Amino acid sequence: REVLECGREVMNILNGIGRVLHDNWQNAEVVAVQSIGADGRRCHYLLPEPIVGRSHASLRAVVVRADGTVDDSPPVDPFAETHSVAAAHLNVRRALALFGAGQGWFDLYKVLELIEEDVGGMHTLLEMKWANAAAIKNFKHTANSASALGDAASRHTKQKDAPPKNPISLEEARKLIRSLMISWIGSK
C-alpha cells in the first residue's frame, strides 16, 4: 500500500507538470501489480494507466551567425526542467500535485493560495502582473460563491457577499491557474 500511495503522489506531480505544459493533457493513473516469487519474495510493479499515444514533431534550430560561428545547442526539455524546479521547491511540488490530481474549484483555489504564499502575498503576486487583478478577484469571488457554483462546488455554503455579476467558468478558472503556474514556475 505504501508503494502504491508513493506512486500515486509521484504520478500526481507528473500529471501536474503535464497539465501545465500541455493544455490537452490526459492524466495517467498508477495501479499496483504484485508478484510472489518461488522464494516467497514479493515484487511490486507500478503501471501507469491509461497510456495515451501521441505523436510529436519538433524542429531543432541551428543558428549560423554572420561571422560563421554556429550555435546548435540542444533544446531544453520543458518536462525535465519543470520536474527539476519541483524537486527543488516544496510549494511547486505541492501545487503540481494538486493541479495534477484534480481540476475542481477546491484544488484550483489551493494552487492559487500556494502561489500567493510562495511569492509573499497577493499584493506581490499582483505586482508581478502574471494575471489580471480583476480576473484573480473574479476567480476568488466565484470559487467562494455558493450562489454561483452551487453548494457542491463552492468552497463555502454560507453566502457572505452577493454572487459575482459575471462568474467565470471552471474552464476559464483552469486556464487562469495554469497561466499563473507557468509564470510562477518559470520565475524559479
Side-chain angles (χ1 to χ4, degrees):
R1 189 166 269 311
E2 261 182 63
V3 173
L4 179 61
E5 288 307 312
C6 184
R8 285 183 176 151
E9 287 176 21
V10 170
M11 189 57 70
N12 283 341
I13 293 169
L14 297 176
N15 282 328
I17 294 170
R19 283 183 169 176
V20 166
L21 297 177
H22 304 284
D23 59 358
N24 63 346
W25 181 263
Q26 292 182 353
N27 273 7
E29 293 182 40
V30 176
V31 296
V33 176
Q34 176 180 322
S35 69
I36 301 173
D39 60 354
R41 288 180 42 186
R42 295 174 185 237
C43 294
H44 295 271
Y45 302 93
L46 300 178
L47 305 171
E49 285 188 22
I51 300 296
V52 178
R54 294 179 196 250
S55 64
H56 177 78
S58 63
L59 299 173
R60 184 168 176 195
V62 176
V63 177
V64 180
R65 295 186 184 83
D67 66 1
T69 58
V70 176
D71 180 5
D72 63 347
S73 304
V76 175
D77 177 358
F79 202 95
E81 192 173 270
T82 305
H83 189 267
S84 292
V85 172
H89 300 279
L90 176 62
N91 278 350
V92 173
R93 261 193 323 278
R94 292 173 64 200
L96 286 168
L98 285 165
F99 200 66
Q103 292 277 293
W105 290 100
F106 289 103
D107 295 317
L108 296 174
Y109 203 97
K110 288 177 186 177
V111 170
L112 177 61
E113 288 178 330
L114 283 167
I115 295 170
E116 183 181 342
E117 174 190 333
D118 192 73
V119 300
M122 183 54 70
H123 182 73
T124 306
L125 176 61
L126 295 176
E127 284 179 348
M128 293 180 171
K129 299 192 186 301
W130 293 339
N132 179 295
I136 293 174
K137 182 179 178 182
N138 195 27
F139 165 80
K140 291 176 104 173
H141 193 177
T142 302
N144 289 318
S145 175
S147 297
L149 301 178
D151 288 338
S154 173
R155 291 182 65 243
H156 301 290
T157 54
K158 184 177 177 183
Q159 191 68 47
K160 294 179 187 175
D161 301 316
K165 290 179 180 152
N166 296 305
I168 67 171
S169 69
L170 182 56
E171 189 56 36
E172 291 170 316
R174 288 174 180 151
K175 287 178 183 178
L176 172 66
I177 299 303
R178 179 176 179 257
S179 174
L180 283 169
M181 288 186 74
I182 289 168
S183 297
W184 174 52
I185 292 168
S187 75
K188 298 289 183 187

